[in-house]
Amino acid sequence: SRMSHHVRSLSDIDPSTAANDPRPSASFSARKNPLCIPTNTPPVFPGLRPRISPRLLRLVTNAMSDSLLGHTPSNPPPLYRTTDHWFQRATAALLGEVPCRLGCTSCCIGPFPITLLDVQTLQQGLAGLPPTHRHQIEQRAIEQTAAMEAAFPQLTHTELLDKWTDQDIDRLVTEFHHHPCPALDADGRCGVYSHRPLVCRSMGIPTDDRGLAQGACEIQTFIPIVRLPIAFREEEDRLAQEEAASLETLRQATGSTGEEVFLPYGFLSEL
């Protein structure tokens, strides 16, 4: 697994991810770009169709269908709800000093890797949206993936990132750092908030690096005097292990050769 190298798991929180609203994440893009987000911009390539591999989408949405039974658009898988609870308790433990609020969308700019578990959950959330809203999100994802594939043709062969080098991922992230998440609506809300990726749920808590506390983003310039208790970090590690185990189960069930794609691919539907 490459999960320890890039933003993609609970144990790898970095200022390159998406929001935690309704006290949403005040995090930054993968390159900490503090720009206002030009949501709902007109299509650059009108008429383009999704090209996410039909096999990949079938693997993700069907292989674990039994585990999804009983989940509704308002009821994502347990790991996602547990992560929400961790974030809420961690925020409270920091005495409310985490600056994540509704309308702060800095961390919603820029692509980053998500896992096939996240793709599965995003597709579940999209399925519960009104058709018009879903189409708007999908169209933005189509535009972004088309632009990515034009700049990085290897994406036309497979969306999976597990054979990409860190340097190649960084180059794409840098080139497309200004692209808002396809699910970011004009009012600054997440269109699939209840089904957002795991890293979006955990972003915003200050990180600890060799005993030094660091803000989760450039907006988070004030680091709480109160440090996050070690029990929360240990729980974070356990959640990351649960995520890894779920990914391995998914890989075994699907025969998938990888576990990660860039965020916009998670919103594409099979034709």
Side-chain angles (χ1 to χ4, degrees):
S1 171
R2 295 162 45 84
M3 291 173 63
S4 62
H5 295 159
H6 273 277
V7 178
R8 51 182 63 112
S9 74
L10 296 171
S11 60
D12 192 24
I13 300 174
D14 183 82
S16 58
T17 53
N20 252 314
D21 63 354
R23 294 179 41 111
S25 180
S27 204
F28 257 61
S29 72
R31 286 298 172 264
K32 301 183 180 180
N33 181 4
L35 299 178
C36 295
I37 298 173
T39 57
N40 296 326
T41 54
V44 178
F45 307 105
L48 286 177
R49 305 289 291 173
R51 67 150 307 282
I52 191 168
S53 163
R55 179 177 180 274
L56 174 60
L57 192 63
R58 283 197 299 271
L59 291 178
V60 170
T61 57
N62 296 335
M64 298 183 71
S65 58
D66 289 343
S67 68
L68 291 177
L69 292 177
H71 296 313
T72 68
S74 60
N75 187 25
L79 176 60
Y80 289 72
R81 287 172 283 160
T82 302
T83 304
D84 281 343
H85 190 220
W86 174 87
F87 179 86
Q88 293 161 4
R89 289 184 292 107
T91 299
L94 294 172
L95 304 180
E97 295 296 343
V98 176
C100 302
R101 298 291 187 275
L102 178 63
C104 181
T105 56
S106 297
C107 62
C108 301
I109 305 178
F112 54 90
I114 61 172
T115 70
L116 297 188
L117 291 175
D118 294 322
V119 174
Q120 186 179 64
T121 304
L122 286 172
Q123 289 294 317
Q124 181 187 352
L126 286 171
L129 294 179
T132 299
H133 193 189
R134 175 173 181 163
H135 175 75
Q136 291 171 344
I137 293 174
E138 289 177 344
Q139 184 61 38
R140 293 194 286 265
I142 293 168
E143 300 296 331
Q144 292 185 17
T145 54
M148 289 179 180
E149 290 169 11
F152 294 83
Q154 59 265 48
L155 286 170
T156 64
H157 301 295
T158 178
E159 302 86 0
L160 293 169
L161 301 178
D162 297 77
K163 293 184 179 180
W164 281 49
T165 65
D166 289 347
Q167 291 75 18
D168 284 340
I169 290 178
D170 288 342
R171 284 199 304 116
L172 185 145
V173 166
T174 299
E175 183 164 343
F176 294 96
H177 70 277
H178 59 288
H179 282 208
C181 174
L184 183 62
D185 291 331
D187 62 0
R189 295 177 183 270
C190 176
V192 290
Y193 178 69
S194 64
H195 290 77
R196 67 202 186 283
L198 283 170
V199 70
C200 304
R201 297 166 187 265
S202 57
M203 188 61 199
I205 302 299
T207 61
D208 290 325
D209 183 17
R210 293 186 291 274
L212 298 176
Q214 301 179 2
C217 67
E218 291 184 2
I219 290 177
Q220 196 175 65
T221 56
F222 175 78
I223 305 300
I225 296 176
V226 178
R227 294 294 183 90
L228 194 66
I230 187 63
F232 283 91
R233 298 300 183 192
E234 293 172 348
E235 182 179 358
E236 183 182 19
D237 290 340
R238 289 193 297 272
L239 290 170
Q241 292 169 7
E242 183 178 345
E243 178 191 21
S246 296
L247 275 169
E248 182 58 27
T249 299
L250 179 60
R251 288 179 57 136
Q252 292 180 2
T254 63
S256 172
T257 59
E259 61 185 32
E260 296 176 330
V261 297
F262 281 118
L263 174 66
Y265 285 95
F267 297 99
L268 299 184
S269 296
E270 181 180 359
L271 293 175

